[in-house]
PDB file of all heavy atoms in Angstrom:
ATOM      1  N   ARG S  13      76.345  82.992  94.042  1.00 98.00           N
ATOM      2  CA  ARG S  13      75.934  82.551  95.362  1.00 98.00           C
ATOM      3  C   ARG S  13      75.752  81.045  95.355  1.00 98.00           C
ATOM      4  O   ARG S  13      74.959  80.517  94.583  1.00 98.00           O
ATOM      5  CB  ARG S  13      74.642  83.231  95.801  1.00 98.00           C
ATOM      6  CG  ARG S  13      74.097  82.684  97.118  1.00 98.00           C
ATOM      7  CD  ARG S  13      73.711  83.738  98.086  1.00 98.00           C
ATOM      8  NE  ARG S  13      72.663  84.613  97.591  1.00 98.00           N
ATOM      9  CZ  ARG S  13      72.256  85.705  98.222  1.00 98.00           C
ATOM     10  NH1 ARG S  13      72.813  86.044  99.382  1.00 98.00           N
ATOM     11  NH2 ARG S  13      71.316  86.459  97.704  1.00 98.00           N
ATOM     12  N   ALA S  14      76.486  80.386  96.221  1.00 97.00           N
ATOM     13  CA  ALA S  14      76.328  78.960  96.451  1.00 97.00           C
ATOM     14  C   ALA S  14      75.408  78.752  97.642  1.00 97.00           C
ATOM     15  O   ALA S  14      75.295  79.624  98.505  1.00 97.00           O
ATOM     16  CB  ALA S  14      77.686  78.303  96.693  1.00 97.00           C
ATOM     17  N   PRO S  15      74.747  77.599  97.724  1.00 92.00           N
ATOM     18  CA  PRO S  15      73.853  77.343  98.861  1.00 92.00           C
ATOM     19  C   PRO S  15      74.555  77.510 100.197  1.00 92.00           C
ATOM     20  O   PRO S  15      75.656  76.993 100.402  1.00 92.00           O
ATOM     21  CB  PRO S  15      73.409  75.895  98.638  1.00 92.00           C
ATOM     22  CG  PRO S  15      73.520  75.694  97.168  1.00 92.00           C
ATOM     23  CD  PRO S  15      74.726  76.487  96.763  1.00 92.00           C
ATOM     24  N   GLY S  16      73.921  78.244 101.098  1.00 93.00           N
ATOM     25  CA  GLY S  16      74.472  78.454 102.420  1.00 93.00           C
ATOM     26  C   GLY S  16      75.573  79.484 102.502  1.00 93.00           C
ATOM     27  O   GLY S  16      76.162  79.664 103.577  1.00 93.00           O
ATOM     28  N   LYS S  17      75.871  80.149 101.409  1.00 95.00           N
ATOM     29  CA  LYS S  17      76.936  81.138 101.392  1.00 95.00           C
ATOM     30  C   LYS S  17      76.401  82.505 100.981  1.00 95.00           C
ATOM     31  O   LYS S  17      75.339  82.619 100.374  1.00 95.00           O
ATOM     32  CB  LYS S  17      78.048  80.721 100.432  1.00 95.00           C
ATOM     33  CG  LYS S  17      78.761  79.437 100.810  1.00 95.00           C
ATOM     34  CD  LYS S  17      79.900  79.140  99.842  1.00 95.00           C
ATOM     35  CE  LYS S  17      80.641  77.879 100.227  1.00 95.00           C
ATOM     36  NZ  LYS S  17      81.742  77.585  99.268  1.00 95.00           N
ATOM     37  N   GLU S  18      77.155  83.520 101.328  1.00 96.00           N
ATOM     38  CA  GLU S  18      76.820  84.867 100.907  1.00 96.00           C
ATOM     39  C   GLU S  18      77.138  85.056  99.432  1.00 96.00           C
ATOM     40  O   GLU S  18      78.008  84.382  98.870  1.00 96.00           O
ATOM     41  CB  GLU S  18      77.590  85.888 101.736  1.00 96.00           C
ATOM     42  CG  GLU S  18      77.268  85.879 103.218  1.00 96.00           C
ATOM     43  CD  GLU S  18      75.860  86.356 103.482  1.00 96.00           C
ATOM     44  OE1 GLU S  18      75.388  87.269 102.781  1.00 96.00           O
ATOM     45  OE2 GLU S  18      75.220  85.808 104.393  1.00 96.00           O
ATOM     46  N   ARG S  19      76.439  85.972  98.819  1.00 97.00           N
ATOM     47  CA  ARG S  19      76.749  86.320  97.447  1.00 97.00           C
ATOM     48  C   ARG S  19      78.135  86.961  97.392  1.00 97.00           C
ATOM     49  O   ARG S  19      78.474  87.808  98.222  1.00 97.00           O
ATOM     50  CB  ARG S  19      75.696  87.284  96.900  1.00 97.00           C
ATOM     51  CG  ARG S  19      75.867  87.627  95.439  1.00 97.00           C
ATOM     52  CD  ARG S  19      74.588  88.206  94.866  1.00 97.00           C
ATOM     53  NE  ARG S  19      74.120  89.360  95.602  1.00 97.00           N
ATOM     54  CZ  ARG S  19      72.910  89.891  95.459  1.00 97.00           C
ATOM     55  NH1 ARG S  19      72.040  89.348  94.616  1.00 97.00           N
ATOM     56  NH2 ARG S  19      72.567  90.953  96.171  1.00 97.00           N
ATOM     57  N   GLU S  20      78.943  86.547  96.436  1.00 97.00           N
ATOM     58  CA  GLU S  20      80.301  87.035  96.354  1.00 97.00           C
ATOM     59  C   GLU S  20      80.605  87.597  94.970  1.00 97.00           C
ATOM     60  O   GLU S  20      80.043  87.172  93.961  1.00 97.00           O
ATOM     61  CB  GLU S  20      81.310  85.937  96.712  1.00 97.00           C
ATOM     62  CG  GLU S  20      81.307  84.742  95.784  1.00 97.00           C
ATOM     63  CD  GLU S  20      82.280  83.664  96.226  1.00 97.00           C
ATOM     64  OE1 GLU S  20      83.071  83.904  97.156  1.00 97.00           O
ATOM     65  OE2 GLU S  20      82.252  82.564  95.638  1.00 97.00           O
ATOM     66  N   PHE S  21      81.505  88.521  94.966  1.00 98.00           N
ATOM     67  CA  PHE S  21      81.916  89.186  93.741  1.00 98.00           C
ATOM     68  C   PHE S  21      82.749  88.261  92.872  1.00 98.00           C
ATOM     69  O   PHE S  21      83.571  87.493  93.373  1.00 98.00           O
ATOM     70  CB  PHE S  21      82.718  90.445  94.084  1.00 98.00           C
ATOM     71  CG  PHE S  21      83.422  91.048  92.906  1.00 98.00           C
ATOM     72  CD1 PHE S  21      82.722  91.777  91.964  1.00 98.00           C
ATOM     73  CD2 PHE S  21      84.783  90.888  92.742  1.00 98.00           C
ATOM     74  CE1 PHE S  21      83.362  92.335  90.873  1.00 98.00           C
ATOM     75  CE2 PHE S  21      85.439  91.438  91.662  1.00 98.00           C
ATOM     76  CZ  PHE S  21      84.726  92.164  90.728  1.00 98.00           C
ATOM     77  N   VAL S  22      82.544  88.349  91.565  1.00 98.00           N
ATOM     78  CA  VAL S  22      83.311  87.563  90.606  1.00 98.00           C
ATOM     79  C   VAL S  22      84.120  88.465  89.680  1.00 98.00           C
ATOM     80  O   VAL S  22      85.336  88.343  89.587  1.00 98.00           O
ATOM     81  CB  VAL S  22      82.399  86.639  89.779  1.00 98.00           C
ATOM     82  CG1 VAL S  22      83.213  85.883  88.731  1.00 98.00           C
ATOM     83  CG2 VAL S  22      81.660  85.661  90.685  1.00 98.00           C
ATOM     84  N   ALA S  23      83.448  89.360  88.976  1.00 98.00           N
ATOM     85  CA  ALA S  23      84.114  90.227  88.008  1.00 98.00           C
ATOM     86  C   ALA S  23      83.224  91.415  87.710  1.00 98.00           C
ATOM     87  O   ALA S  23      82.006  91.348  87.876  1.00 98.00           O
ATOM     88  CB  ALA S  23      84.443  89.468  86.714  1.00 98.00           C
ATOM     89  N   ALA S  24      83.823  92.502  87.251  1.00 97.00           N
ATOM     90  CA  ALA S  24      83.060  93.689  86.886  1.00 97.00           C
ATOM     91  C   ALA S  24      83.804  94.466  85.819  1.00 97.00           C
ATOM     92  O   ALA S  24      85.039  94.423  85.747  1.00 97.00           O
ATOM     93  CB  ALA S  24      82.804  94.579  88.105  1.00 97.00           C
ATOM     94  N   LYS S  25      83.058  95.196  85.007  1.00 94.00           N
ATOM     95  CA  LYS S  25      83.638  96.004  83.942  1.00 94.00           C
ATOM     96  C   LYS S  25      82.794  97.237  83.717  1.00 94.00           C
ATOM     97  O   LYS S  25      81.566  97.157  83.632  1.00 94.00           O
ATOM     98  CB  LYS S  25      83.745  95.200  82.642  1.00 94.00           C
ATOM     99  CG  LYS S  25      84.358  95.984  81.484  1.00 94.00           C
ATOM    100  CD  LYS S  25      84.411  95.167  80.210  1.00 94.00           C
ATOM    101  CE  LYS S  25      85.492  94.110  80.270  1.00 94.00           C
ATOM    102  NZ  LYS S  25      86.844  94.695  80.250  1.00 94.00           N
ATOM    103  N   SER S  26      83.460  98.387  83.604  1.00 91.00           N
ATOM    104  CA  SER S  26      82.780  99.622  83.243  1.00 91.00           C
ATOM    105  C   SER S  26      82.457  99.608  81.764  1.00 91.00           C
ATOM    106  O   SER S  26      83.291  99.215  80.935  1.00 91.00           O
ATOM    107  CB  SER S  26      83.648 100.837  83.576  1.00 91.00           C
ATOM    108  OG  SER S  26      83.838 100.964  84.964  1.00 91.00           O
ATOM    109  N   TRP S  27      81.260 100.024  81.429  1.00 82.00           N
ATOM    110  CA  TRP S  27      80.807  99.939  80.044  1.00 82.00           C
ATOM    111  C   TRP S  27      81.612 100.825  79.119  1.00 82.00           C
ATOM    112  O   TRP S  27      81.993 100.418  78.021  1.00 82.00           O
ATOM    113  CB  TRP S  27      79.321 100.293  79.973  1.00 82.00           C
ATOM    114  CG  TRP S  27      78.626  99.662  78.815  1.00 82.00           C
ATOM    115  CD1 TRP S  27      78.305 100.234  77.628  1.00 82.00           C
ATOM    116  CD2 TRP S  27      78.161  98.320  78.746  1.00 82.00           C
ATOM    117  NE1 TRP S  27      77.673  99.352  76.817  1.00 82.00           N
ATOM    118  CE2 TRP S  27      77.563  98.149  77.475  1.00 82.00           C
ATOM    119  CE3 TRP S  27      78.187  97.238  79.632  1.00 82.00           C
ATOM    120  CZ2 TRP S  27      76.999  96.944  77.069  1.00 82.00           C
ATOM    121  CZ3 TRP S  27      77.632  96.038  79.229  1.00 82.00           C
ATOM    122  CH2 TRP S  27      77.046  95.908  77.969  1.00 82.00           C
ATOM    123  N   ARG S  28      81.885 102.049  79.554  1.00 82.00           N
ATOM    124  CA  ARG S  28      82.562 103.001  78.695  1.00 82.00           C
ATOM    125  C   ARG S  28      84.081 102.846  78.715  1.00 82.00           C
ATOM    126  O   ARG S  28      84.711 102.757  77.659  1.00 82.00           O
ATOM    127  CB  ARG S  28      82.191 104.427  79.103  1.00 82.00           C
ATOM    128  CG  ARG S  28      82.899 105.507  78.297  1.00 82.00           C
ATOM    129  CD  ARG S  28      82.529 106.898  78.774  1.00 82.00           C
ATOM    130  NE  ARG S  28      81.149 107.225  78.447  1.00 82.00           N
ATOM    131  CZ  ARG S  28      80.541 108.344  78.814  1.00 82.00           C
ATOM    132  NH1 ARG S  28      81.205 109.247  79.536  1.00 82.00           N
ATOM    133  NH2 ARG S  28      79.285 108.559  78.472  1.00 82.00           N
ATOM    134  N   SER S  29      84.666 102.825  79.886  1.00 83.00           N
ATOM    135  CA  SER S  29      86.118 102.841  80.002  1.00 83.00           C
ATOM    136  C   SER S  29      86.755 101.470  79.868  1.00 83.00           C
ATOM    137  O   SER S  29      87.934 101.367  79.515  1.00 83.00           O
ATOM    138  CB  SER S  29      86.534 103.451  81.339  1.00 83.00           C
ATOM    139  OG  SER S  29      86.208 102.592  82.410  1.00 83.00           O
ATOM    140  N   GLY S  30      86.015 100.426  80.170  1.00 82.00           N
ATOM    141  CA  GLY S  30      86.582  99.093  80.167  1.00 82.00           C
ATOM    142  C   GLY S  30      87.342  98.725  81.420  1.00 82.00           C
ATOM    143  O   GLY S  30      87.930  97.640  81.478  1.00 82.00           O
ATOM    144  N   THR S  31      87.343  99.594  82.413  1.00 92.00           N
ATOM    145  CA  THR S  31      87.979  99.274  83.691  1.00 92.00           C
ATOM    146  C   THR S  31      87.424  97.964  84.226  1.00 92.00           C
ATOM    147  O   THR S  31      86.208  97.774  84.277  1.00 92.00           O
ATOM    148  CB  THR S  31      87.747 100.397  84.701  1.00 92.00           C
ATOM    149  OG1 THR S  31      88.317 101.611  84.200  1.00 92.00           O
ATOM    150  CG2 THR S  31      88.379 100.051  86.041  1.00 92.00           C
ATOM    151  N   THR S  32      88.309  97.074  84.630  1.00 96.00           N
ATOM    152  CA  THR S  32      87.935  95.705  84.958  1.00 96.00           C
ATOM    153  C   THR S  32      88.485  95.299  86.313  1.00 96.00           C
ATOM    154  O   THR S  32      89.621  95.638  86.665  1.00 96.00           O
ATOM    155  CB  THR S  32      88.446  94.743  83.878  1.00 96.00           C
ATOM    156  OG1 THR S  32      87.952  95.150  82.594  1.00 96.00           O
ATOM    157  CG2 THR S  32      87.997  93.323  84.156  1.00 96.00           C
ATOM    158  N   TYR S  33      87.686  94.550  87.060  1.00 97.00           N
ATOM    159  CA  TYR S  33      88.097  93.970  88.331  1.00 97.00           C
ATOM    160  C   TYR S  33      87.751  92.490  88.332  1.00 97.00           C
ATOM    161  O   TYR S  33      86.731  92.072  87.782  1.00 97.00           O
ATOM    162  CB  TYR S  33      87.395  94.646  89.512  1.00 97.00           C
ATOM    163  CG  TYR S  33      87.638  96.129  89.617  1.00 97.00           C
ATOM    164  CD1 TYR S  33      86.653  97.029  89.242  1.00 97.00           C
ATOM    165  CD2 TYR S  33      88.840  96.622  90.098  1.00 97.00           C
ATOM    166  CE1 TYR S  33      86.864  98.390  89.341  1.00 97.00           C
ATOM    167  CE2 TYR S  33      89.061  97.983  90.196  1.00 97.00           C
ATOM    168  CZ  TYR S  33      88.068  98.865  89.817  1.00 97.00           C
ATOM    169  OH  TYR S  33      88.282 100.219  89.921  1.00 97.00           O
ATOM    170  N   TYR S  34      88.601  91.701  88.976  1.00 98.00           N
ATOM    171  CA  TYR S  34      88.364  90.276  89.148  1.00 98.00           C
ATOM    172  C   TYR S  34      88.587  89.886  90.595  1.00 98.00           C
ATOM    173  O   TYR S  34      89.483  90.407  91.260  1.00 98.00           O
ATOM    174  CB  TYR S  34      89.300  89.442  88.285  1.00 98.00           C
ATOM    175  CG  TYR S  34      89.065  89.535  86.804  1.00 98.00           C
ATOM    176  CD1 TYR S  34      89.882  90.315  85.999  1.00 98.00           C
ATOM    177  CD2 TYR S  34      88.033  88.826  86.202  1.00 98.00           C
ATOM    178  CE1 TYR S  34      89.675  90.394  84.632  1.00 98.00           C
ATOM    179  CE2 TYR S  34      87.818  88.902  84.837  1.00 98.00           C
ATOM    180  CZ  TYR S  34      88.639  89.690  84.056  1.00 98.00           C
ATOM    181  OH  TYR S  34      88.424  89.763  82.695  1.00 98.00           O
ATOM    182  N   ALA S  35      87.769  88.965  91.070  1.00 97.00           N
ATOM    183  CA  ALA S  35      88.052  88.335  92.346  1.00 97.00           C
ATOM    184  C   ALA S  35      89.320  87.504  92.226  1.00 97.00           C
ATOM    185  O   ALA S  35      89.618  86.937  91.170  1.00 97.00           O
ATOM    186  CB  ALA S  35      86.885  87.445  92.778  1.00 97.00           C
ATOM    187  N   ASP S  36      90.079  87.426  93.322  1.00 97.00           N
ATOM    188  CA  ASP S  36      91.344  86.704  93.282  1.00 97.00           C
ATOM    189  C   ASP S  36      91.165  85.244  92.881  1.00 97.00           C
ATOM    190  O   ASP S  36      92.017  84.673  92.196  1.00 97.00           O
ATOM    191  CB  ASP S  36      92.040  86.789  94.642  1.00 97.00           C
ATOM    192  CG  ASP S  36      92.593  88.172  94.932  1.00 97.00           C
ATOM    193  OD1 ASP S  36      92.765  88.964  93.987  1.00 97.00           O
ATOM    194  OD2 ASP S  36      92.861  88.459  96.119  1.00 97.00           O
ATOM    195  N   PHE S  37      90.079  84.639  93.294  1.00 94.00           N
ATOM    196  CA  PHE S  37      89.917  83.207  93.062  1.00 94.00           C
ATOM    197  C   PHE S  37      89.547  82.864  91.632  1.00 94.00           C
ATOM    198  O   PHE S  37      89.511  81.683  91.275  1.00 94.00           O
ATOM    199  CB  PHE S  37      88.889  82.611  94.048  1.00 94.00           C
ATOM    200  CG  PHE S  37      87.569  83.309  94.087  1.00 94.00           C
ATOM    201  CD1 PHE S  37      86.599  83.068  93.138  1.00 94.00           C
ATOM    202  CD2 PHE S  37      87.293  84.218  95.108  1.00 94.00           C
ATOM    203  CE1 PHE S  37      85.375  83.713  93.183  1.00 94.00           C
ATOM    204  CE2 PHE S  37      86.072  84.871  95.164  1.00 94.00           C
ATOM    205  CZ  PHE S  37      85.120  84.620  94.198  1.00 94.00           C
ATOM    206  N   VAL S  38      89.258  83.858  90.792  1.00 93.00           N
ATOM    207  CA  VAL S  38      88.968  83.591  89.384  1.00 93.00           C
ATOM    208  C   VAL S  38      89.977  84.228  88.444  1.00 93.00           C
ATOM    209  O   VAL S  38      89.941  83.955  87.232  1.00 93.00           O
ATOM    210  CB  VAL S  38      87.550  84.037  88.990  1.00 93.00           C
ATOM    211  CG1 VAL S  38      86.509  83.368  89.872  1.00 93.00           C
ATOM    212  CG2 VAL S  38      87.419  85.555  89.054  1.00 93.00           C
ATOM    213  N   LYS S  39      90.862  85.032  88.966  1.00 87.00           N
ATOM    214  CA  LYS S  39      91.822  85.741  88.126  1.00 87.00           C
ATOM    215  C   LYS S  39      92.692  84.740  87.368  1.00 87.00           C
ATOM    216  O   LYS S  39      93.244  83.813  87.939  1.00 87.00           O
ATOM    217  CB  LYS S  39      92.686  86.665  88.979  1.00 87.00           C
ATOM    218  CG  LYS S  39      93.535  87.626  88.180  1.00 87.00           C
ATOM    219  CD  LYS S  39      94.246  88.611  89.087  1.00 87.00           C
ATOM    220  CE  LYS S  39      95.038  89.629  88.301  1.00 87.00           C
ATOM    221  NZ  LYS S  39      95.717  90.596  89.190  1.00 87.00           N
ATOM    222  N   GLY S  40      92.795  84.954  86.063  1.00 94.00           N
ATOM    223  CA  GLY S  40      93.546  84.048  85.218  1.00 94.00           C
ATOM    224  C   GLY S  40      92.721  82.937  84.624  1.00 94.00           C
ATOM    225  O   GLY S  40      93.183  82.258  83.702  1.00 94.00           O
ATOM    226  N   ARG S  41      91.507  82.730  85.128  1.00 98.00           N
ATOM    227  CA  ARG S  41      90.620  81.692  84.613  1.00 98.00           C
ATOM    228  C   ARG S  41      89.378  82.277  83.939  1.00 98.00           C
ATOM    229  O   ARG S  41      88.906  81.720  82.950  1.00 98.00           O
ATOM    230  CB  ARG S  41      90.169  80.747  85.728  1.00 98.00           C
ATOM    231  CG  ARG S  41      91.306  79.997  86.403  1.00 98.00           C
ATOM    232  CD  ARG S  41      90.762  78.929  87.346  1.00 98.00           C
ATOM    233  NE  ARG S  41      89.994  79.517  88.441  1.00 98.00           N
ATOM    234  CZ  ARG S  41      88.733  79.193  88.735  1.00 98.00           C
ATOM    235  NH1 ARG S  41      88.095  78.279  88.007  1.00 98.00           N
ATOM    236  NH2 ARG S  41      88.118  79.758  89.758  1.00 98.00           N
ATOM    237  N   PHE S  42      88.857  83.367  84.488  1.00 98.00           N
ATOM    238  CA  PHE S  42      87.637  83.973  83.971  1.00 98.00           C
ATOM    239  C   PHE S  42      87.978  85.276  83.264  1.00 98.00           C
ATOM    240  O   PHE S  42      88.904  85.992  83.660  1.00 98.00           O
ATOM    241  CB  PHE S  42      86.646  84.286  85.092  1.00 98.00           C
ATOM    242  CG  PHE S  42      86.044  83.091  85.780  1.00 98.00           C
ATOM    243  CD1 PHE S  42      86.492  81.803  85.533  1.00 98.00           C
ATOM    244  CD2 PHE S  42      85.017  83.273  86.691  1.00 98.00           C
ATOM    245  CE1 PHE S  42      85.936  80.707  86.175  1.00 98.00           C
ATOM    246  CE2 PHE S  42      84.444  82.190  87.343  1.00 98.00           C
ATOM    247  CZ  PHE S  42      84.903  80.909  87.087  1.00 98.00           C
ATOM    248  N   THR S  43      87.199  85.604  82.242  1.00 97.00           N
ATOM    249  CA  THR S  43      87.362  86.852  81.524  1.00 97.00           C
ATOM    250  C   THR S  43      86.005  87.504  81.327  1.00 97.00           C
ATOM    251  O   THR S  43      85.076  86.873  80.816  1.00 97.00           O
ATOM    252  CB  THR S  43      88.024  86.633  80.152  1.00 97.00           C
ATOM    253  OG1 THR S  43      89.292  85.996  80.319  1.00 97.00           O
ATOM    254  CG2 THR S  43      88.232  87.968  79.445  1.00 97.00           C
ATOM    255  N   ILE S  44      85.890  88.753  81.738  1.00 96.00           N
ATOM    256  CA  ILE S  44      84.674  89.514  81.497  1.00 96.00           C
ATOM    257  C   ILE S  44      84.895  90.381  80.266  1.00 96.00           C
ATOM    258  O   ILE S  44      85.946  91.002  80.108  1.00 96.00           O
ATOM    259  CB  ILE S  44      84.272  90.360  82.723  1.00 96.00           C
ATOM    260  CG1 ILE S  44      82.928  91.054  82.487  1.00 96.00           C
ATOM    261  CG2 ILE S  44      85.357  91.357  83.101  1.00 96.00           C
ATOM    262  CD1 ILE S  44      82.359  91.719  83.738  1.00 96.00           C
TER     263      ILE S  44
END
């Protein structure tokens, strides 16, 4: 969350399966 903005999704991972999601704006730059 940046000042004045809504909280936004960045990345997520399931603990057991490893299923992973990334926001488009971080894909290729961030790794969970």
Side-chain angles (χ1 to χ4, degrees):
R13 174 132 61 187
K17 297 183 179 179
E18 297 292 323
R19 185 162 56 193
E20 63 183 351
F21 168 76
V22 177
K25 181 182 286 291
S26 294
W27 207 260
R28 178 182 290 176
S29 70
T31 299
T32 304
Y33 301 104
Y34 292 102
D36 288 341
F37 53 81
V38 303
K39 191 174 183 179
R41 299 189 297 125
F42 292 8
T43 302
I44 185 170

